[in-house]
Amino acid sequence: MNINEVYKELSNIIPEEQLLRDESMKDHTSFRIGGPADLMVLPSEVEHIRHTLKVCQKWNVPFMVMGNGSNLLVMDKGIRGVVIKIANTFNGVWIEGCCIRAQSGALLSVLSKKALQAELKGLEFASGIPGTLGGAIVMNAGAYGGEMKDVVARAKVMDAQGNDFYLRNAELEFGYRTSYVQKKGLIVLEAELALSPGRYEDIKAVISELTRRRQEKQPLSLPSAGSVFMRPPGYFAGKLIEEAGLKGFRIGDAQVSEKHAGFIVNLGNATAKDVLALIKVVQQRVKEKYGVELKPEIRVVGEG
Ligand SMILES: Cc1cc2nc3c(=O)[nH]c(=O)nc-3n(C[C@H](O)[C@H](O)[C@H](O)COP(=O)(O)OP(=O)(O)OC[C@H]3O[C@@H](n4cnc5c(N)ncnc54)[C@H](O)[C@@H]3O)c2cc1C
């Protein structure tokens, strides 16, 4: 692979401290799992992203985009090619009336805090989701009755050829944990969130209540990627897994959480192989017992 040539060309316009060679993905995922990425790019300008796409195309090197790594299972041999990490080097936020405009690397927790400070309501549901705006739009992230579909007015995206354009809410084709952006492999650059005026105390009370519920139910002190499976129509994945007797079931250091059976947690040195084997056991048992197919919500990337 021409990764050295890619590095050389990228370093013409991207500062070297934003180009990381053989970067361990354990340090970039909430699961704390994953082998090294050949080259990680931390863009701080749209042109860094466009340039990276062009250079990868020129040298025929694969690339993928990530945000905060909170919905990713990276395989143990890591990722060949380039990982464009759109997170804390690309996270500008602007309040414009009742709208929040932000770059895609801004964290949802930061955005919901800014909305609170500006007395804007509508983003309370997102306060505890540990992802970026871009990752949340791709996944149509949601919680406690709210989802990105309810707040995104429009998003600026880029295709693999480096063309950028806007997509309005209806064009983003949001569905349960899916979007047009996900289906077409587009890159989210920026988005505008349409919120409405609210009272500081009311917004704060909702965020506090949702935080309390999350802390009570979810294993937040252990590394995970959140809910492993999508909600099967008519059921709750966690409840089915618990009733199948799998709470606490463990392969290596990957364990079905004792606190919430919809989560798999890393007890220390779990590998992606352990997690995938555990996912398989859970799927088989739930299928045998209830005839329900559990589909993973987490995105598996890299080489095993
Ligand atoms: C403790 C915990 C709790 C969670 N709770 C919730 C919850 O309540 N609701 C919920 O929906 N999710 C939840 N999640 C999952 C996760 O936080 C969300 O899916 C989040 O939206 C992922 O954002 P990210 O930036 O971490 O994306 P990543 O995990 O980095 O990437 C996810 C996907 O988005 C793509 N992507 C990321 N950024 C971009 C971009 N700028 N452009 C194009 N593609 C991009 C990646 O290629 C990948 O396919 C939870 C996770 C954890 C660990």
Side-chain angles (χ1 to χ4, degrees):
M1 203 189 309
N2 296 309
I3 203 78
N4 291 329
E5 280 77 6
V6 168
Y7 180 88
K8 252 189 259 159
E9 279 201 36
L10 291 183
S11 62
N12 289 336
I13 79 152
I14 303 176
E16 282 186 18
E17 61 274 17
Q18 290 169 230
L19 297 172
L20 312 175
R21 301 291 297 260
D22 296 318
E23 183 68 6
S24 171
M25 291 300 293
K26 280 187 189 175
D27 299 334
H28 297 274
T29 55
S30 56
F31 238 143
R32 301 274 169 260
I33 291 175
D38 289 338
L39 177 58
M40 179 178 281
V41 178
L42 307 174
S44 47
E45 295 169 22
V46 171
E47 285 320 306
H48 292 168
I49 300 173
R50 202 185 326 263
H51 186 58
T52 305
L53 299 182
K54 296 231 157 107
V55 172
C56 284
Q57 201 167 34
K58 175 176 168 191
W59 294 100
N60 201 20
V61 164
F63 73 89
M64 68 159 277
V65 176
M66 68 175 289
N68 202 36
S70 64
N71 204 37
L72 290 182
L73 176 62
V74 179
M75 296 300 292
D76 302 311
K77 289 192 181 143
I79 300 176
R80 300 293 71 78
V82 171
V83 174
I84 306 173
K85 179 174 176 178
I86 304 182
N88 51 358
T89 52
F90 194 79
N91 62 358
V93 182
W94 300 269
I95 310 273
E96 297 166 348
C98 282
C99 174
I100 294 188
R101 183 165 63 85
Q103 287 179 314
S104 54
L107 288 172
L108 292 184
S109 55
V110 170
L111 294 174
S112 76
K113 212 171 273 167
K114 298 254 184 199
L116 167 67
Q117 283 156 1
E119 298 201 277
L120 293 174
K121 70 175 178 196
L123 206 53
E124 298 87 329
F125 77 91
S127 60
I129 302 176
T132 60
L133 176 62
I137 290 176
V138 170
M139 299 301 298
N140 186 23
Y144 304 111
E147 54 184 351
M148 295 309 289
K149 181 181 189 230
D150 305 333
V151 292
V152 176
R154 63 174 189 165
K156 191 175 183 185
V157 298
M158 185 179 276
D159 65 20
Q161 285 66 48
N163 307 304
D164 60 65
F165 51 97
Y166 282 95
L167 292 172
R168 280 172 286 125
N169 182 292
E171 295 167 317
L172 286 160
E173 293 178 11
F174 287 118
Y176 175 59
R177 299 296 172 264
T178 184
S179 63
Y180 183 79
V181 176
Q182 186 184 117
K183 286 179 229 155
K184 298 291 176 189
L186 300 171
I187 300 173
V188 183
L189 301 175
E190 192 180 295
E192 291 164 18
L193 309 178
L195 305 174
S196 49
R199 284 185 46 220
Y200 184 92
E201 297 75 36
D202 299 342
I203 301 167
K204 179 114 180 83
V206 175
I207 292 177
S208 303
E209 171 58 13
L210 297 184
T211 305
R212 188 193 63 74
R213 281 160 69 178
R214 219 175 250 280
Q215 283 168 346
E216 186 182 278
K217 292 263 164 63
Q218 300 185 357
L220 301 180
S221 59
L222 288 169
S224 80
S227 295
V228 176
F229 301 101
M230 297 208 251
R231 188 168 7 90
Y235 299 92
F236 288 103
K239 197 156 180 276
L240 291 176
I241 299 166
E242 184 173 349
E243 285 169 3
L246 288 166
K247 218 173 191 184
F249 186 78
R250 180 173 169 181
I251 294 181
D253 264 355
Q255 184 186 44
V256 174
S257 165
E258 286 173 339
K259 196 164 176 186
H260 186 317
F263 282 56
I264 288 178
V265 291
N266 176 2
L267 295 177
N269 292 307
T271 61
K273 206 167 152 226
D274 295 334
V275 175
L276 287 181
L278 190 53
I279 287 176
K280 215 164 172 191
V281 171
V282 170
Q283 284 174 319
Q284 276 167 353
R285 286 263 195 104
V286 168
K287 174 88 182 149
E288 276 161 25
K289 225 168 162 203
Y290 303 102
V292 176
E293 307 242 10
L294 291 179
K295 295 204 184 95
E297 174 176 324
I298 57 173
R299 323 281 297 171
V300 182
V301 295
E303 298 184 343

